[in-house]
Amino acid sequence: MATVKNVLQTGRRTSIDAGADMKATLLTMAVSASALLAACGGGTQAPPGSPPVAEKPSDTALAAEVPLSTPPASVKHIQLEEVKPAEVVILSLQDLDLPADADSVTPSGAISNALLMDGTLRFSTPGDTGEDQEATLEIKSGAATTISHVLIRSQRLTAAQAYDDGPGEEGLPVPVRPRLTVDGLGPNNTITDAPLTFRLQGVGALDLKDDSKGLIIGANNVRVRLKDFWSFNPVDSSFSISGPAMQRLLSALPNGALTIGLNFVSKDGEFTASYDMLAIRRGAKVSGRLQSLNGDPVTTFAGRKILLKGYDAQMRAETVVDANGTFIFDNVISDTYFLTWNDLRNPYIVGGSMAIYQDTTQASVTLVVPPNMLAAGTSSAGLAAQRAGAGTPLSYVSGYATQDGTPPPPRDIGTTEITPSARSATRAAEGASATSNAESGSEAELRFQRR
């Protein structure tokens, strides 16, 4: 009670008169009681024998004990431009507004390998699956993270694509077409001897038998009408081609790439829907192998992926080299192709081109591996360092192909004989053009003209 006594004494010393002294005394006693209760645990006594109540820490103590939270990391999302399947893609980090010394990249989704090298982002895309594919690349630089979204656009969609001829009557938009499914096609829409069924989803029972048409167009503009081969099922409004009818259809179709056009029209004319889709009729089997300049088989690159890219028909695929240094592509349609192996550090260091003819069923291709890649202990990174320090590239693009198909006939492009006088006149005209450009343009433009 020493504290209370001192407070009371202090209260009395500060009093002015008796009434004020009494009020001050009562006020001081109330404050002293509050202080005493606080000292005793807030006025609540623990039962006899119970453990003492822990003292509640102050807000200041709590703030001192809780560590400061780490600022959240920065995450940015960007959408990269569309890329094609079976490609080695190299992008400048600077163009992506990313630091050239970014720390790491982690791919996910359709992309399985990616690399940061020499201020670039490098990744390879998978073969064409017949539908668009998506992937993400997580790039870390310090505390910042950039999520790059990648759309891999299919060059040969396998799904039937609905199309229309423009706005409907009175400018009204054309209604959404039902989805068309085709049962019986193989991978990449390969037509085999299996029965086919064309079915519109969610249309119910429609009388499409008489006015619907189908047409397959192949090489050399070969056209085959499906009306001669299919039958109509009124239960689900589908069209089917039986096994025996498929045998007749296959004998009428050319090998290679095909386009299927379908036009479904109801008997009353109230329903119409048109579709087209890509298909393949018995493409070629391409067998490949790796060899050295001396013709010896190269078997040290098992697991390496080979990319195949077509120029016109846009067929794109990938396959894997086996332990014997060989690889296979199936159902390759007639076109001109470039083959290369997938190496992000040394893109296109090994490759070759080939043409597949229209009637080819079997083809073989050989890719020559450059000597510097066969040196003992040469890794992909070591080879990249060699190429960076070399005065000329150390790549070696070479290969050759054989096949059982018939090459196209030679084309006569014609020749025009140029007499010496005509050649002199042409050169004089070129000189006059260069002089005119020099008078009206810069020196750089003149050099460009002279090239």
Side-chain angles (χ1 to χ4, degrees):
M1 295 297 294
T3 303
V4 177
K5 180 179 179 180
N6 290 337
V7 171
L8 292 176
Q9 287 178 347
T10 303
R12 283 198 296 268
R13 282 199 301 269
T14 57
S15 63
I16 298 176
D17 54 25
D21 186 40
M22 179 62 67
K23 292 179 181 180
T25 301
L26 292 175
L27 179 60
T28 304
M29 291 178 65
V31 172
S32 301
S34 299
L36 181 60
L37 288 173
C40 296
T44 302
Q45 290 185 346
S50 62
V53 179
E55 183 178 354
K56 179 182 179 181
S58 65
D59 294 340
T60 304
L62 284 175
E65 292 176 2
V66 177
L68 296 176
S69 59
T70 304
S74 171
V75 178
K76 179 174 66 173
H77 290 260
I78 62 175
Q79 180 68 51
L80 300 182
E81 292 186 5
E82 294 179 2
V83 294
K84 296 179 179 181
E87 284 276 11
V88 174
V89 181
I90 302 178
L91 303 174
S92 167
L93 290 173
Q94 182 178 3
D95 292 344
L96 300 176
D97 197 22
L98 295 173
D101 58 348
D103 300 327
S104 63
V105 57
T106 303
S108 60
I111 295 175
S112 60
N113 60 330
L115 175 70
L116 297 177
M117 177 180 173
D118 298 335
T120 63
L121 167 64
R122 305 182 179 197
F123 58 92
S124 64
T125 56
D128 201 336
T129 62
E131 58 185 20
D132 296 339
Q133 305 174 73
E134 295 182 352
T136 58
L137 300 168
E138 182 181 286
I139 304 171
K140 290 186 176 295
S141 180
T145 299
T146 300
I147 307 296
S148 302
H149 299 269
V150 185
L151 175 62
I152 306 169
R153 181 71 71 184
S154 172
Q155 303 301 291
R156 292 183 58 83
L157 291 170
T158 54
Q161 305 299 305
Y163 66 91
D164 57 76
D165 296 327
E169 296 181 359
E170 300 179 357
L172 296 176
V174 176
V176 177
R177 304 304 183 193
R179 188 169 68 93
L180 171 67
T181 60
V182 183
D183 299 329
L185 292 173
N188 298 318
N189 284 359
T190 302
I191 296 179
T192 64
D193 56 1
L196 294 180
T197 300
F198 302 87
R199 183 180 290 108
L200 293 170
Q201 301 295 314
V203 299
L206 288 175
D207 189 356
L208 305 173
K209 178 180 179 181
D210 295 332
D211 298 321
S212 298
K213 300 177 181 179
L215 183 68
I216 300 181
I217 303 176
N220 301 319
N221 203 29
V222 173
R223 295 168 177 260
V224 179
R225 297 190 313 166
L226 293 181
K227 202 174 188 71
D228 299 333
F229 302 92
W230 68 17
S231 59
F232 178 67
N233 184 355
V235 176
D236 59 357
S237 303
S238 64
F239 289 86
S240 298
I241 303 177
S242 64
M246 281 301 302
Q247 294 295 332
R248 294 189 292 113
L249 176 60
L250 289 174
S251 64
L253 292 176
N255 290 342
L258 304 171
T259 300
I260 304 176
L262 301 161
N263 185 26
F264 300 100
V265 181
S266 62
K267 187 174 184 179
D268 57 11
E270 294 295 324
F271 174 85
T272 177
S274 299
Y275 304 84
D276 58 15
M277 59 189 303
L278 301 176
I280 296 175
R281 161 73 168 102
R282 198 173 67 180
K285 179 180 180 180
V286 177
S287 303
R289 71 188 188 102
L290 304 178
Q291 75 170 34
S292 67
L293 280 175
N294 298 326
D296 300 323
V298 176
T299 60
T300 54
F301 295 99
R304 183 65 56 91
K305 291 182 179 180
I306 305 294
L307 307 179
L308 177 142
K309 298 182 290 183
Y311 287 96
D312 295 327
Q314 289 296 312
M315 181 175 184
R316 290 169 171 260
E318 69 173 359
T319 192
V320 179
V321 178
D322 63 18
N324 298 318
T326 62
F327 54 91
I328 294 176
F329 288 100
D330 290 315
N331 274 331
V332 179
I333 57 181
S334 60
D335 199 356
T336 300
Y337 292 92
F338 181 74
L339 294 93
T340 183
W341 72 10
N342 183 355
D343 189 330
L344 297 183
R345 295 184 180 273
N346 307 281
Y348 308 110
I349 191 171
V350 172
S353 60
M354 68 175 182
I356 297 298
Y357 305 142
Q358 184 62 45
D359 58 347
T360 296
T361 61
Q362 299 283 337
S364 62
V365 60
T366 300
L367 298 181
V368 179
V369 181
N372 54 299
M373 296 193 66
L374 300 177
T378 301
S379 63
S380 180
L383 183 61
Q386 293 179 29
R387 299 179 73 195
T392 58
L394 297 178
S395 57
Y396 190 89
V397 179
S398 177
Y400 56 89
T402 60
Q403 56 192 299
D404 61 2
T406 305
R411 293 181 298 172
D412 184 8
I413 60 176
T415 58
T416 302
E417 183 178 356
I418 302 178
T419 62
S421 60
R423 186 180 296 110
S424 299
T426 302
R427 290 177 177 173
E430 291 177 349
S433 175
T435 303
S436 174
N437 287 324
E439 293 173 353
S440 61
S442 65
E443 183 180 355
E445 290 173 336
L446 175 61
R447 287 197 300 268
F448 178 80
Q449 291 290 336
R450 286 177 177 171
R451 290 177 186 167

